[in-house]
Amino acid sequence: MLWNKSLGGRGALAACVCASFALAMTERADAGMSYGFGAITANNIGDTVLGESQLSVVVASGPGAGQISFTFMNVGMAAMSITDVYFDSHDILASIATIDDSDPGVSFSEGATPGNLPAANNATPAFVASMGLTADSNPPVQPNGVNPGETLTIICNLLGGIVFDDAIAALDGGQDLRIGIHVQGFATGGSESFVNVPTPGSLALMGLSGFAAIRRRR
């Protein structure tokens, strides 16, 4: 590595950081980016904590040109089932291309009921599901949802001129692209709504701030 005498160690450090960032940007499209979820409801605080610890989505490029995939994961032992998926997209996603629900026990179709994420107004800003960008599990909804140990992949078409990194930037920003899920089948018999945490690694912070905001509203 070349050493910049005028900047000293800072020049080398900056070059190293830039190189590492560029490498990460290249690799992440293949490996995918993992996002957690923060609760926007608090019907049962224990259920929201379980949901935030057990549910995630991996966002990756492809498989086709101009496409992006969202793989919803339910990793844990606690009873819960992702039954509805919503995208709040502003000039990022065009439509759902395919739904890969080949995991035994998972069965989804385009179009969710209700049409918007339950308690959508609790999100900041309010969550508004985009037309043509929703899906839910087929009856019986809880058994056919994403239960512990199961996954669901939804592949979407990107709008013309949008690339994978644009979508990731929109998710990280928490404004132009958000993912909402409605989760049923908790051991308590309740249900909760969640929205993706904008920046990977900030799940705990989002959860705590979300709970505080809900308590203030109530």
Side-chain angles (χ1 to χ4, degrees):
M1 178 182 295
L2 294 177
W3 187 271
N4 188 317
K5 293 183 178 179
S6 62
L7 295 178
R10 289 177 298 171
L13 178 61
C16 181
V17 169
C18 289
S20 298
F21 180 75
L23 178 61
M25 291 286 285
T26 301
E27 291 180 342
R28 73 181 185 183
D30 296 325
M33 298 287 286
S34 181
Y35 292 83
F37 287 96
I40 61 169
T41 55
N43 299 320
N44 182 288
I45 294 297
D47 288 346
T48 61
V49 171
L50 285 172
E52 290 181 345
S53 67
Q54 191 162 306
L55 305 173
S56 62
V57 59
V58 175
V59 185
S61 61
Q67 292 184 330
I68 185 170
S69 71
F70 302 86
T71 298
F72 297 87
M73 308 182 71
N74 186 346
V75 181
M77 300 297 292
M80 66 186 74
S81 177
I82 302 173
T83 57
D84 304 86
V85 175
Y86 303 86
F87 295 96
D88 181 356
S89 173
H90 300 267
D91 300 323
I92 300 295
L93 304 180
S95 61
I96 291 177
T98 58
I99 296 176
D100 181 0
D101 55 2
S102 57
D103 203 337
V106 179
S107 178
F108 271 69
S109 297
E110 288 188 46
T113 302
N116 197 15
L117 178 66
N121 288 336
N122 285 355
T124 304
F127 189 100
V128 180
S130 299
M131 185 175 296
L133 289 170
T134 67
D136 67 8
S137 57
N138 298 314
V141 294
Q142 182 181 327
N144 282 334
V146 184
N147 288 281
E150 298 176 339
T151 64
L152 165 74
T153 297
I154 298 179
I155 299 169
C156 293
N157 296 312
L158 295 165
L159 283 169
I162 299 297
V163 297
F164 176 77
D165 281 346
D166 297 328
I168 291 298
L171 278 169
D172 289 348
Q175 297 289 326
D176 292 331
L177 179 59
R178 291 183 293 173
I179 308 165
I181 55 174
H182 188 225
V183 182
Q184 303 182 51
F186 288 99
T188 60
S191 64
E192 303 288 348
S193 291
F194 300 81
V195 174
N196 70 287
V197 177
T199 304
S202 63
L203 176 59
L205 178 60
M206 171 64 78
L208 292 173
S209 63
F211 290 153
I214 291 167
R215 291 194 182 98
R216 287 196 296 271
R217 293 191 188 98
R218 298 181 68 179

